[in-house]
Amino acid sequence: VKTEPGTVAERLLAGMEQVNSHHHQAVADVGGELVATAWSADGVIEAIEGPNVLGVQWHPESSAASDNRNIRPFQWLINGEAEWPA
């Protein structure tokens, strides 16, 4: 996974190179105030962001037991941006 520098996705993934993504459909175009902020090697959008919004395409809940970094999107949802170091 490649992330856009300076984004929530970059901070949450913090060096993760792989995510658990297995879908037959994916975000093709983001709308409104949303922007794509993470992509797989084949160009599939893996994360989108907007003001106080984060969407992920992968399944962090499925990999949390093997890599606790997968819990970070849920922590962000509960704690908000203010809880994350810059």
Side-chain angles (χ1 to χ4, degrees):
V1 172
K2 178 174 173 37
T3 57
E4 185 71 29
T7 62
V8 173
E10 179 189 46
R11 290 189 298 278
L12 295 181
L13 291 173
M16 290 177 64
E17 295 179 0
Q18 295 183 9
V19 295
N20 179 12
S21 185
H22 49 87
H23 296 280
H24 67 278
Q25 294 180 330
V27 173
D29 299 306
V30 296
E33 296 182 41
L34 299 175
V35 295
T37 59
W39 302 264
S40 62
D42 61 0
V44 171
I45 296 171
E46 294 292 346
I48 58 173
E49 298 179 29
N52 298 309
V53 174
L54 172 68
V56 298
Q57 179 73 14
W58 75 94
H59 287 276
E61 75 283 359
S62 298
S63 300
S66 62
D67 187 339
N68 66 0
R69 291 178 294 181
N70 283 287
I71 295 171
R72 291 176 180 164
F74 302 107
Q75 291 172 322
W76 182 88
L77 179 66
I78 293 167
N79 297 325
E81 186 69 20
E83 298 295 323
W84 287 95

